[in-house]
Amino acid sequence: MRVEEAALSNHTGTGTLRLSATGEASNSLAAGFRPELGRVPVRVDTASRWRERDNIVPAVLKIDTGPTGPDVVAGALEVMRRFRPWVLCEVPPDRGLEERLMALLEPLDYTWHRVDGDPPYPPRARIREPGTGDPLWLFAPGLPDEGFWETARLWNEAVLGCRPPAGDAGPAGGNVPRARAGRGRSR
């Protein structure tokens, strides 16, 4: 894993990363997204330019940038067209992002699936239905087949199996897996 000190958007240059004061790390390039604790100047790049410069072929993109998600997708269009990565994207409600995302994804023949509950997740006609909160969405480079959903289901079960037993909050009260004495493996 390599950490890049850059923000992705639909342009290159510099920008201001607004540090969230709410504690959930919802830092953003967007002014007014969350109450600010401070600001940090950052290099801004597009995913397509980053891919070209570093000669990386991404298989999965995870976008959790608040209201700038459509800008990140716009800056990744060449990557999505050429390499067809799977995209997991948070879509904050009530910000008008859905129409922008659908307009960007439709020409690429991506399908969108609300990640909620157990897989499979059916394709949706629209990104965001009324009252759905702030879900994670899967943007798939075509319609996923049954084999994909079976693999997703197995991974989901494996991750859920890592939770501590009921009543055991784990270290520091968090929901963090930890090794059990005498068992030699993590739960």
Side-chain angles (χ1 to χ4, degrees), residues 63-88:
I63 302 171
D64 186 1
T65 61
T68 64
D71 296 338
V72 176
V73 170
L77 288 176
E78 183 60 27
V79 168
M80 294 172 73
R81 210 178 273 112
R82 286 181 63 196
F83 302 106
R84 313 293 291 161
W86 298 77
V87 180
L88 291 163

Side-chain angles (χ1 to χ4, degrees), residues 4 10 31 33 37 43 52 59 86 88 115 122 134 141 148 172-173 175:
E4 291 281 337
N10 59 357
F33 178 55
L37 178 65
R43 178 174 56 94
E52 189 71 31
W86 298 77
L88 291 163
V115 178
D134 190 12
F148 173 85
N175 211 5

